[in-house]
Amino acid sequence: MKRPTDERKDTRSQFTADSSLRVNYLTPKCLPSESPTRRRGSSSSTGSGSGQGLPEEDGIRLNPSFIRVALSSLLAIDLWMSKRLGVCACEDSSWGSVRPLMKLIEISGHGIPWLAGTAYCMYKSDSAPGQEVMLNLLMGLLLDLVLVGIVKAVVRRRRPAHNRMDMFATFSVDRYSFPSGHATRAAMCGRFLLAHLVLAAPLRVLVLLWASLVGLSRVMLGRHNVTDVMFGFWMGYCQYNLVEMLWLSPQTLQGLLGQLA
């Protein structure tokens, strides 16, 4: 027969054994080749590697979206400025009374009057240098029509919504807005006249003023956006350089015509 002290010892030893089993069961076992320190180091390196990869992915995704946002903002500013400056778009506009004057300036920069006037001056000129200058101006005007038509057909930007299609002698490509053909023609012809005609100082200022008013009239009449005119001025400025590179003399023209005949 067991004594009470022996029963208490057996109960205490059984409780100790059960507690050790629970502790061993709850504690995760490590592989022989893997220590807790090594496992912590690998997890921290994995976390740092993933942290380094995220900014790079975010940067790759951010660049195209940033460019789109910037272009959208510039387009919105362009449309807002064009609408605010279109003060002669119709007779009911704030500057509607100036619309006839702006339309007159519009016609002065149209291609048909320039082509007809240049051909007439070349026909009436008595000197070979005068015919040479008018011949190359005519070539520049034809080149301008071709290049502007190609860019308009490729870009296909519609004219401003507040524009009225009552322009003088339009063609199918004229329903597009970018770039402004009047602005390209004004810039190219302005440089050409200043470079090849002997003009007094007041006339030179008048040529510059005319070219600027042609571009301004395009926006005030609602025909073009601001960027259409700005790009048109730049394109016309570069077209003059192309005309100088392709300069034709009467002898060269006669040689070309002889070869074609």
Side-chain angles (χ1 to χ4, degrees):
M1 182 174 179
K2 293 182 179 182
R3 290 178 297 181
T5 55
D6 296 334
E7 291 180 358
R8 283 195 298 270
K9 289 180 181 179
D10 294 340
T11 305
R12 190 179 300 115
S13 61
Q14 184 178 1
F15 176 75
T16 305
D18 293 341
S19 300
S20 62
L21 287 174
R22 292 193 189 96
V23 170
N24 291 333
Y25 177 76
L26 294 174
T27 304
K29 295 182 179 181
C30 300
L31 295 176
S33 61
E34 183 179 346
S35 63
T37 306
R38 181 179 176 183
R39 192 189 315 169
R40 285 195 298 271
S42 62
S43 63
S44 62
S45 62
T46 305
S48 63
S50 62
Q52 292 175 356
L54 288 176
E56 184 178 358
E57 294 178 358
D58 293 343
I60 294 174
R61 295 175 184 173
L62 179 62
N63 290 334
S65 61
F66 176 76
I67 293 174
R68 285 196 298 269
V69 170
L71 290 178
S72 300
S73 302
L74 291 176
L75 179 61
I77 294 173
D78 178 35
L79 296 177
W80 176 78
M81 289 182 60
S82 303
K83 190 172 182 179
R84 292 294 300 268
L85 293 175
V87 292
C88 302
C90 58
E91 289 79 4
D92 299 334
S93 302
S94 57
W95 287 28
S97 59
V98 190
R99 182 177 171 82
L101 178 60
M102 291 295 105
K103 293 193 70 173
L104 184 63
I105 297 175
E106 176 185 54
I107 295 174
S108 71
H110 197 277
I112 292 179
W114 274 95
L115 288 170
T118 303
Y120 180 79
C121 291
M122 184 175 63
Y123 174 73
K124 286 293 186 180
S125 179
D126 297 331
S127 62
Q131 291 179 351
E132 180 180 351
V133 170
M134 291 297 108
L135 172 64
N136 285 275
L137 179 57
L138 182 63
M139 185 189 70
L141 291 170
L142 294 175
L143 181 66
D144 172 72
L145 290 176
V146 173
L147 293 179
V148 171
I150 291 174
V151 176
K152 283 188 175 183
V154 171
V155 178
R156 293 176 176 268
R157 185 183 190 183
R158 295 290 179 179
R159 291 189 180 269
H162 55 280
N163 174 49
R164 291 178 57 184
M165 291 301 293
D166 57 348
M167 295 180 290
F168 171 74
T170 59
F171 300 92
S172 59
V173 75
D174 288 330
R175 66 178 180 269
Y176 300 122
S177 177
F178 186 90
S180 169
H182 282 69
T184 60
R185 194 173 301 111
M188 191 268 293
C189 292
R191 285 196 69 187
F192 192 97
L193 295 178
L194 293 176
H196 295 284
L197 295 184
V198 180
L199 301 174
L203 291 178
R204 298 177 72 88
V205 173
L206 187 61
V207 170
L208 293 174
L209 182 62
W210 167 80
S212 303
L213 286 177
V214 168
L216 182 62
S217 68
R218 308 311 290 157
V219 181
M220 293 181 65
L221 288 170
R223 309 295 196 204
H224 292 279
N225 297 305
V226 175
T227 51
D228 302 336
V229 176
M230 292 177 62
F231 185 84
F233 277 139
W234 176 82
M235 184 174 174
Y237 188 90
C238 295
Q239 281 177 183
Y240 173 77
N241 297 333
L242 186 59
V243 171
E244 289 291 328
M245 292 173 56
L246 302 175
W247 189 267
L248 291 176
S249 63
Q251 294 78 14
T252 305
L253 181 62
Q254 290 177 2
L256 293 175
L257 294 177
Q259 292 179 359
L260 293 176

